[in-house]
Amino acid sequence: MHIVLDETAMAAAGQGNVLASRLIHRAHAEADWFLYAPACALVEADRARPGAAEHLASLPGVTVLDLDLAAALALAQQKTWAAAHNQYAAQPTRDRPDGAIIATTDPYRWTGEPVRLLDLTP
């Protein structure tokens, strides 16, 4: 299972969201669960909740995705850098042929986008 945390899910994790905490635990405890934190989304999460980025980046089950050239080129496709980096990270790759699911607490912001979602709204 490959899951990309958007900035709303990252902020929710720092506020005690049970569903976000379960994802983090599974990514740490189970070999076939992968949790990704795109760097641009980390920035937005940290703006909303100071300290969130450092906390998430320190968790052993979370992989921070750098902003590489391909991701940077995708930024022009969305209104925010965080949304663009999340959507780019969820696309299929060699390692993730089916792509990844975006975990969010604001599923309506993804309306009309070609992504699969996991709603973390309690």
Side-chain angles (χ1 to χ4, degrees):
M1 178 71 62
H2 296 274
I3 299 173
V4 175
L5 295 171
D6 78 357
E7 67 277 11
T8 67
M10 292 179 198
Q15 295 173 328
N17 181 295
V18 174
L19 299 173
S21 295
R22 286 181 185 165
L23 282 178
I24 292 167
H25 173 73
R26 287 190 93 165
H28 176 66
E30 297 185 32
D32 58 344
W33 279 71
F34 301 92
L35 203 54
Y36 304 99
C40 292
L42 271 175
V43 170
E44 290 303 317
D46 205 66
R47 286 180 180 166
R49 184 166 175 77
E54 186 175 356
H55 174 71
L56 282 166
S58 71
L59 296 173
V62 177
T63 301
V64 175
L65 300 177
D66 294 331
L67 183 63
D68 60 12
L69 177 59
L73 294 173
L75 294 181
Q77 307 301 315
Q78 289 287 338
K79 293 179 182 178
T80 69
W81 285 32
H85 203 183
N86 286 324
Q87 188 168 346
Y88 173 79
Q91 293 178 1
T93 65
R94 251 186 237 136
D95 297 334
R96 300 184 307 268
D98 294 328
I101 298 166
I102 296 178
T104 184
T105 60
D106 185 8
Y108 298 107
R109 73 175 286 217
W110 294 101
T111 300
E113 298 297 335
V115 295
R116 295 179 295 156
L117 296 177
L118 176 60
D119 187 355
L120 300 182
T121 306

